[in-house]
Amino acid sequence: MDYKNSIKYRKQSLIKLLQCLIVNEEAIVRALFDDFKKPAFEAVVTETSYVIADLKKTIKNINRWAKPKRVFPSLLNFPSSDYIYSEPYGKVLVFSAWNYPYQLALCPLIAAVAAGNQVVLKPSEVAPNTSRILAKIIAEVFDPNHVTVQEGGVDVAQQLLAQPWDYIFFTGSTTVGKLVAQAAAVHLTPVTLELGGKNPCIVDSTADLKLAAKRIVWGKFINAGQTCIAPDYLLVEDSIKDLFVNYLKEELIATYGEDMEASPDFARIINHKNWLRLTQLMENNKIEFGGATNESDCYIAPTLINEPSLESSIMKEEIFGPLLPILYYKNTVDIKNTVSRYGKPLAFYVFSTNKKFSKELIRDFSFGGGCVNDTVVHFTNHRLPFGGVGASGIGAYHGKRSFMTFSHQKAIVVRANWLDVSIRYAPYKNKLKSIKKLLTWLG
């Protein structure tokens, strides 16, 4: 089958995938629970429904996205018709992450298929139940020469990276992203790297503090904090610190109850290795709220940590768990001195009703994307690009940009023959003055 040129075949494949995902939704939700007790509500909202919406949008728009785009021609080429053709790269390798193991696997895969590529998906072995059901679904829907899944651990990933690819899409940590980039460079393979970073969340005294606490608790502790765009630490204006911390505590209890370990709405840490790393980050810090753990269940309570040292491990590493350090500031110099220590984050959040303050922070810092007076929700708008900058990532996707990510944009000029201006041709004698005037005029 001609995956590259048959838009009809791509669309039919995606329709078949949609039907299969709908039929298997309950099994997918169960797999996510089995991997790390992800609540069904979170599984549906952040994974299954998100993928289905993305898939429907792609099916609806694939013909329009794939159609050659006519652009305004250059007067230098008059008369001509100019076009941009979206050409698939070819053989694409997709690495997905374990924290949203279903969504982060299928959304890039859907876009790569829509763009006409052959795809190999390497799901994270850290979420084995989800990996298994992904392999089953892909095998049921696609011709194995078109799309296939390669399950396994680091050895499989290394074997895949040693092969030449036309494009690599990786979601994961900055540390592993660097290894992917190194392997891709051997073959000059283009990459998209969706990574992470220490995402600041700034709260000033003009903010609606109760609402800010509610939105921060949701954005930080959904998926037990295992979200690449979750707030990594808070910077709270000094004058409101006690009041705001109390609001955070009240909201945590309102959300998860007095016995948070018994809450059906709170996920677990993905495995013991990550549980151990997070419990070590808590050591030698002042725990303001929470702090309870259960090793046998990979449980860590939603935890507030008061004013950790900027040199501590919890402030040097991306936390990726339900631990929320709270720092305080007196002025914008304090904010800049803190945020600038940690490179360019994937996400950036400001809670304030002072528009000038918010705009200055958005202007002064480089980051992937973010929100004013909310957290995480910029991810949900398919019209906004999602991606990092610097150490937090290379490239962006979502919506039409996902299709573009997996497409080479090929420029074509179709010249007419009824007029041919001779000034461009040699011999060039006595033409220099005229061509300079012409180029200056065309601007």
Side-chain angles (χ1 to χ4, degrees):
M1 175 57 65
D2 187 355
Y3 316 115
K4 177 178 178 180
N5 295 314
S6 177
I7 309 298
K8 181 180 178 181
Y9 181 81
R10 301 181 207 173
K11 193 170 185 177
Q12 288 174 339
S13 297
L14 293 176
I15 291 171
K16 186 177 178 182
L17 176 62
L18 175 62
Q19 294 167 343
C20 190
L21 296 184
I22 291 171
V23 168
N24 285 279
E25 184 172 23
E26 287 188 15
I28 295 159
V29 170
R30 186 165 57 251
L32 290 163
F33 181 85
D34 291 343
D35 278 329
F36 52 117
K37 291 190 176 179
K38 179 173 287 199
F41 182 90
E42 291 185 8
V44 170
V45 170
T46 66
E47 305 244 30
T48 61
S49 289
Y50 186 93
V51 169
I52 287 171
D54 186 57
L55 189 45
K56 287 180 177 179
K57 193 179 300 98
T58 302
I59 292 167
K60 179 180 178 181
N61 291 288
I62 184 172
N63 291 85
R64 182 167 56 88
W65 292 346
K67 186 179 179 181
K69 307 296 185 297
R70 189 167 183 171
V71 299
F72 198 81
S74 167
L75 290 174
L76 285 170
N77 296 329
F78 181 82
S80 73
S81 299
D82 294 14
Y83 301 89
I84 299 173
Y85 282 73
S86 293
E87 176 184 78
Y89 278 104
K91 294 183 178 179
V92 168
L93 175 62
V94 174
F95 286 103
S96 60
W98 55 261
N99 58 323
Y100 292 88
Y102 179 76
Q103 179 227 119
L104 295 177
L106 283 179
C107 287
L109 183 148
I110 289 163
V113 169
N117 298 282
Q118 293 172 273
V119 187
V120 172
L121 169 65
K122 165 62 178 72
S124 174
E125 73 280 6
V126 180
N129 295 288
T130 308
S131 176
R132 196 174 303 120
I133 198 166
L134 281 168
K136 174 180 174 291
I137 288 169
I138 297 304
E140 182 179 329
V141 171
F142 293 99
D143 179 330
N145 292 317
H146 185 197
V147 182
T148 189
V149 172
Q150 289 289 322
E151 292 189 275
V154 175
D155 55 334
V156 172
Q158 291 173 337
Q159 291 169 15
L160 289 169
L161 283 173
Q163 301 173 30
W165 299 91
D166 296 304
Y167 202 94
I168 297 175
F169 189 105
F170 171 83
T171 305
S173 69
T174 299
T175 300
V176 179
K178 291 177 180 179
L179 299 176
V180 172
Q182 289 173 4
V186 173
H187 302 288
L188 295 178
T189 302
V191 297
T192 292
L193 302 177
E194 295 294 341
L195 309 176
K198 292 197 74 66
N199 307 319
C201 182
I202 299 155
V203 184
D204 83 352
S205 59
T206 73
D208 182 332
L209 298 183
K210 282 191 174 183
L211 184 59
K214 190 179 189 72
R215 290 175 175 176
I216 289 169
V217 164
W218 176 79
K220 173 61 181 181
F221 296 104
I222 191 172
N223 209 42
Q226 298 165 116
T227 303
C228 60
I229 53 174
D232 199 86
Y233 63 97
L234 300 187
L235 271 169
V236 180
E237 190 170 351
D238 186 72
S239 63
I240 57 165
K241 63 179 182 181
D242 293 335
L243 178 61
F244 190 65
V245 169
N246 285 334
Y247 283 145
L248 289 171
K249 293 176 183 178
E250 290 173 5
E251 185 57 37
L252 282 166
I253 293 170
T255 301
Y256 300 113
E258 293 285 353
D259 183 1
M260 296 190 181
E261 188 172 0
S263 171
D265 300 324
F266 189 69
R268 296 301 185 255
I269 307 307
I270 187 67
N271 58 22
H272 184 264
K273 177 182 177 182
N274 280 273
W275 180 90
L276 187 61
R277 178 185 66 82
L278 289 164
T279 55
Q280 290 171 346
L281 289 181
M282 295 167 64
E283 293 175 358
N284 302 316
N285 282 298
K286 181 183 177 182
I287 295 175
E288 184 72 27
F289 181 87
T293 65
N294 182 342
E295 185 172 6
S296 65
D297 196 31
C298 287
Y299 168 76
I300 297 178
T303 300
L304 306 179
I305 296 176
N306 192 36
E307 292 193 89
S309 165
L310 297 181
E311 297 299 323
S312 62
S313 295
I314 201 168
M315 289 306 298
K316 286 185 174 180
E317 298 179 21
E318 181 183 5
I319 294 170
F320 222 69
L323 314 179
L324 184 58
I326 306 174
L327 305 172
Y328 305 102
Y329 75 90
K330 292 183 178 179
N331 51 50
T332 54
V333 173
D334 292 343
I335 295 173
K336 291 175 182 178
N337 287 341
T338 301
V339 174
S340 61
R341 295 172 67 95
Y342 303 114
K344 298 178 180 180
L346 180 59
F348 189 97
Y349 303 114
V350 183
F351 283 82
S352 174
T353 57
N354 183 335
K355 292 182 179 180
K356 181 181 178 183
F357 175 73
S358 300
K359 287 179 179 178
E360 285 179 354
L361 291 175
I362 291 169
R363 179 198 65 202
D364 291 346
F365 293 102
S366 180
F367 53 91
C371 306
V372 175
N373 294 321
D374 210 337
T375 62
V376 177
V377 295
H378 61 292
F379 184 91
T380 64
N381 186 350
H382 67 89
R383 300 171 189 85
L384 293 175
F386 180 79
V389 59
S392 62
I394 298 172
Y397 72 124
H398 282 191
K400 184 179 179 181
R401 283 179 182 83
S402 296
F403 181 90
M404 302 290 284
T405 290
F406 290 100
S407 303
H408 165 61
Q409 301 302 293
K410 187 162 59 177
I412 300 295
V413 174
V414 180
R415 288 294 311 276
N417 295 329
W418 57 268
L419 178 66
D420 193 43
V421 180
S422 62
I423 194 170
R424 71 174 182 173
Y425 300 111
Y428 302 127
K429 186 178 179 180
N430 298 326
K431 292 182 178 180
L432 183 58
K433 186 176 180 180
S434 298
I435 195 66
K436 287 177 71 175
K437 284 184 177 180
L438 178 61
L439 293 174
T440 302
W441 178 71
L442 291 172

